[in-house]
Structures are given as C-alpha cells and as structure tokens.
Amino acid sequence: MRVKLFTHTDLDGVGCAVLARHAFGDDVDISYCNYDDIDAAVTEFIESGAHDGFERVYITDIYVKEETAELIDKVIRDKVKLLDHHSTAQELNKYQWARVVEHLNDRKTSGTELFFRELLRSADISFVQNDAGETFVNLVRFVEHVRRYDTWEWVERADQRAKDLNDLMHLIGRDRFVARFSADPNPSFNDTEKLLLELEQERINAYIEQKAAEMRRCKLLDDYKVGVVFAERYISQLGNALALRNPDLDFVAIINLPRAVSYRGIKDIHLGEVAKLFGGGGHPKAAGSPVSSEVIKDVIRAIFKYAEFSGGDQS
C-alpha cells in the first residue's frame, strides 16, 4: 500500500514522519510543508493526478485553507485524513476526513499524538505490540516527549529530554533524525548525542544574549506591545526567553526572512488568532505566519531605496 504524508517541518510534524516510517516503511512518500506552501503542494498533488498512485493520504500537524479543503472534498475525500491540533483549524471539522482536536484527556495534544492514535486505531502500527513490547513502549515515550515540547508543557514539567529532542533534530538534520528514530524510537540519548546537545546549549545561550540586545519594541494592531527581533535559529527557545525577560511585552515576534514570522508569548493572548490576521495560525502561546515575496521586495526597497526587480526575481 502506497501512502502519502504531508506534514509540518517542526518537531511535531517530523514526529509524524517518524511514525509513518514505523507504520509503512519505504511505502510512504513524505512532503514537509510550512503554511506558505501546504496549499500549493496539496493542490498540485491533486490536480496533477499524482494522488492516483496512493491508496491513502495523510495531512498532519498542519492545515489547509478553505479552497484547498473544497478541492480535497471533491476529489480525494475517501482516502485522505487530516489530523491537526491548532484551534485556528477548527472550521475544517465540518469535513468527514478532517479531525482537529486541541485537547485530549484534559490536556493539550499534538499532531504526533493524534497521528499515533489514528495509526493504532487503523491497526497500521499494531505490529509493534507483537514484539517484546520495548519498541511500542519507546514509541509511546517518543510521542509523549514530542507532545510536551510542542505544547510547551516541557517547561512546566522540567522535561529536558523533550527540548533535547528538538535540539537534536536541528543538530543532525531532519532526514537523519527520522532515520535515527525510525530505526530506534528510544528517546534516551547515546554519549555522542549528549555531547552534541551540551555544545548546542552553549550556542543557544550565546545566541539568546545576542538577540536580546538586538530586540526592538513597537506597537502592533494598536493594542499590543511587541518585542521584534530578526532571527533564524532557536525560535522557540529565543521567543520564550525574551518573553520571560520582558514581562511588560504582550508577546515577541521573531522575523525569519525570507520564510516566516513566529509569535511567542506567556500571556493570555491567543497568538494563533494574531497570526491568522497575517495568513498564518497556531497555538495560543506559539504561532506563525508566512512572509510573502512582496514583503521581501518591500524590505529590499526599504534598504536600497529605489531597487527595481528584473527577470532574476524568483517570486
């Protein structure tokens, strides 16, 4: 059985890719997407007829816009399953193939947990329960650590391993990370991984200090006091650190040109709704929105004044 997976690029989305490899092995084709390209990727997949080569399609830890949802419902609704946990995607629950759930068992859930439960329900990953049980137990541990990191529950629980999983993914790269935890889902680290993580934490601390000095304050949407900083690494750690250091701010906006803006905060403000105003979405305390090619052009014009764009422009 050939399976197609569209999933997010963060730890939670990559966690779904790990589960897909456990369930389907080489029979799964994985596309990693952000909010600025998920709709184009799914639309091209359908309109090109590529979906004919797959018996099942999953969209995990990310959601599509209404126009794309209508196309899915018209063409491939019988073989697609969207599993997401962002409250900004709740409207997709009107479709039979979509399941958007923010909480399970009185706590926040994640895309990886929802996908794991779906695979167990459909018996696609039940084989792991037939061994000595170690693989299944380690998968459960892996899923829980990913959930805690994605919901930021790891901070409350002081679950350093959850944070270390995210750091390790960025250190060794997405493909190596998926290969490592597909071969062995045990979330305990070997000596080499521990050393890499220790060195990485030193880099993270230095980066946070640098960006704290670079942060600028502004007003956003007339009501919010926001700290704005340009950064391309350690987004979640940086956002949380800056929010904690600056309790007078409503939230922090981290601009990663040319890709996205990430919103992080610790106050009772639904940042997913803020991000939605700019074409994105997400959680109450962590969200993101894409940066369009026009915005990139505006930035270049602001720096170089009368810049003109020629045939070399890739937008």
Side-chain angles (χ1 to χ4, degrees):
M1 176 177 66
R2 289 284 289 159
V3 176
K4 178 67 179 180
L5 173 68
F6 295 94
T7 194
H8 200 194
T9 57
D10 65 358
L11 177 64
D12 194 21
V14 176
C16 294
V18 170
L19 294 179
R21 288 292 182 207
H22 273 281
F24 307 112
D26 293 335
D27 290 329
V28 61
D29 181 74
I30 303 171
S31 292
Y32 297 97
C33 302
N34 284 304
Y35 285 102
D36 60 344
D37 58 12
I38 178 63
D39 291 281
V42 173
T43 298
E44 196 277 335
F45 174 74
I46 296 173
E47 292 183 343
S48 68
H51 64 88
D52 288 333
F54 298 90
E55 298 174 52
R56 203 176 303 175
V57 180
Y58 290 104
I59 304 170
T60 58
D61 191 43
I62 197 167
Y63 59 91
V64 297
K65 294 178 181 176
E66 181 68 21
E67 183 179 355
T68 309
E70 286 293 325
L71 181 62
I72 290 172
D73 200 58
K74 180 180 179 181
V75 181
I76 61 170
R77 63 183 177 187
D78 292 334
K79 60 181 176 181
V80 69
K81 190 74 175 182
L82 182 146
L83 300 160
D84 193 29
H85 62 118
H86 299 97
S87 61
T88 46
Q90 291 282 357
E91 60 193 30
L92 291 178
N93 279 324
K94 65 184 179 182
Y95 298 103
Q96 284 190 330
W97 44 265
R99 185 172 185 235
V100 180
V101 181
E102 191 175 6
H103 293 84
L104 282 177
N105 302 321
D106 298 321
R107 56 159 178 65
K108 292 180 181 178
T109 187
S110 69
T112 298
E113 182 180 41
L114 290 172
F115 190 37
F116 189 47
R117 287 171 174 263
E118 174 64 22
L119 293 172
L120 289 173
R121 184 196 64 78
S122 58
D124 285 318
I125 206 165
S126 61
F127 71 92
V128 296
Q129 299 181 67
N130 296 327
D131 60 16
E134 183 178 355
T135 301
F136 181 71
V137 169
N138 284 331
L139 273 175
V140 171
R141 292 173 62 208
F142 173 82
V143 169
E144 176 60 7
H145 287 306
V146 171
R147 184 196 70 80
R148 290 181 185 179
Y149 182 80
D150 196 67
T151 61
W152 217 246
E153 192 178 307
W154 74 270
V155 175
E156 302 167 15
R157 292 176 173 264
D159 184 359
Q160 183 65 30
R161 185 165 293 165
K163 176 188 173 299
D164 286 344
L165 271 177
N166 183 70
D167 290 348
L168 184 65
M169 181 187 75
H170 290 289
L171 275 170
I172 66 177
R174 185 170 61 206
D175 292 340
R176 287 191 181 93
F177 184 89
V178 171
R180 190 286 201 201
F181 288 98
S182 296
D184 178 12
N186 188 343
S188 297
F189 304 113
N190 59 40
D191 289 341
T192 299
E193 291 167 345
K194 289 177 182 177
L195 177 59
L196 287 173
L197 289 166
E198 182 180 340
L199 295 172
E200 180 70 352
Q201 189 58 54
E202 293 176 4
R203 285 190 288 266
I204 291 172
N205 294 341
Y207 192 72
I208 289 173
E209 293 303 322
Q210 174 193 339
K211 293 302 173 181
E214 295 175 2
M215 189 185 75
R216 297 293 181 266
R217 295 164 176 263
C218 71
K219 259 196 149 182
L220 182 64
L221 303 173
D222 296 326
D223 295 318
Y224 298 120
K225 288 192 294 184
V226 183
V228 180
V229 65
F230 288 85
E232 60 183 15
R233 294 183 291 158
Y234 314 128
I235 301 300
S236 292
Q237 297 97 315
L238 176 62
N240 189 60
L242 293 179
L244 288 171
R245 290 186 184 194
N246 300 275
D248 61 306
L249 295 177
D250 291 311
F251 58 87
V252 176
I254 303 170
I255 302 173
N256 179 9
L257 293 177
R259 298 181 60 191
V261 179
S262 297
Y263 308 87
R264 296 292 187 273
I266 56 175
K267 293 188 176 180
D268 190 20
I269 298 171
H270 200 308
L271 296 181
E273 295 299 331
V274 174
K276 200 170 184 179
L277 297 173
F278 302 102
H283 304 293
K285 300 294 189 295
S289 61
V291 175
S292 70
S293 60
E294 285 305 313
V295 169
I296 301 301
K297 290 180 182 178
D298 289 341
V299 171
I300 295 173
R301 290 190 186 104
I303 295 173
F304 298 109
K305 301 302 181 186
Y306 303 108
E308 295 184 4
F309 296 90
S310 62
D313 175 27
Q314 298 299 309
S315 63

